[in-house]
Amino acid sequence: MFKSVCSVKNWIEISRYIVSFRCARACIPAINYLFCLKKRKNSILNKETQKSSHVCFIFIRKKESEVVEKVTKLNDKVKDLQVYLQMIENVINKMSSNSFLIRGWGITVIGGLMTIFLTHLSNKSNWYILILCFIICILFWINDAYYLYIERKFRILYNKAINNKVEVFTMDISKIKINFLSCMFSFPYCISYLLISICMFVVIILMKLCHF
């Protein structure tokens, strides 16, 4: 009886081992499949990571090239603006020097004619010299005011160029509107040309009235 019980237990244990062995053997393909699936998933993730890193690298390089291009264009624009402003400054200095030169010539010519007038004061036809002196003073006044007129226009163009309101290397000042009379009757000209012209005109009228 005891032997039969032992044999039954042995058979039960043997059957358990067989079942567990069969189960383990049956699970091996599933385990291999899961392992392969995990390995494939890792490889896919690595590929996606590499792909995303490559895309990020391309994006960064593209942005760098765009930034470099913008900086280069900005530097070129700044250099062009500097050259353009220098050109306008040269014109302004030229107009200012021309105005100063005209003023010097006007003083010289008018002074010479006034000297001739005073040395020949007793001559009855001497007042024609004074009329000539008056006309020359008016001509020099208009010429000097014209240079100031052009200079002010270029100063306005200079300010517009600084504020990027005009195209670079544009030297057209025809669209800039300034009153010429405001330049002609500016304060420095009123105390020089206008005062001299009024004095000459009064002297001419007095000489004509007095039949000098």
Side-chain angles (χ1 to χ4, degrees), residues 137-152:
C137 182
I138 297 297
L139 291 177
F140 275 107
W141 183 11
I142 293 172
N143 200 358
D144 198 358
Y146 175 75
Y147 284 119
L148 180 63
Y149 174 73
I150 300 297
E151 180 184 344
R152 287 185 177 180

Side-chain angles (χ1 to χ4, degrees), residues 118-189:
L118 293 174
T119 54
H120 298 82
L121 192 60
S122 60
N123 192 355
K124 292 184 178 181
S125 63
N126 198 20
W127 66 281
Y128 289 108
I129 298 174
L130 197 60
I131 292 175
L132 180 62
C133 188
F134 175 76
I135 294 172
I136 290 174
C137 182
I138 297 297
L139 291 177
F140 275 107
W141 183 11
I142 293 172
N143 200 358
D144 198 358
Y146 175 75
Y147 284 119
L148 180 63
Y149 174 73
I150 300 297
E151 180 184 344
R152 287 185 177 180
K153 279 194 170 187
F154 275 102
R155 287 186 184 277
I156 295 173
L157 182 64
Y158 185 87
N159 293 328
K160 287 185 177 182
I162 292 175
N163 296 322
N164 293 322
K165 292 183 179 180
V166 292
E167 295 182 359
V168 182
F169 301 115
T170 299
M171 302 298 286
D172 186 16
I173 57 173
S174 59
K175 296 180 180 180
I176 300 174
K177 303 299 181 182
I178 297 177
N179 190 3
F180 180 76
L181 293 177
S182 64
C183 297
M184 191 170 179
F185 290 97
S186 60
F187 181 73
Y189 294 162

Side-chain angles (χ1 to χ4, degrees), residues 87-105 140 143-155 188-189 193:
M87 289 172 59
I88 299 175
E89 287 178 0
N90 292 334
V91 175
I92 292 172
N93 294 329
K94 181 91 174 184
M95 295 297 109
S96 180
S97 62
N98 288 338
S99 179
F100 182 77
L101 186 64
I102 288 294
R103 199 173 297 120
W105 274 104
F140 275 107
N143 200 358
D144 198 358
Y146 175 75
Y147 284 119
L148 180 63
Y149 174 73
I150 300 297
E151 180 184 344
R152 287 185 177 180
K153 279 194 170 187
F154 275 102
R155 287 186 184 277
Y189 294 162
Y193 291 108

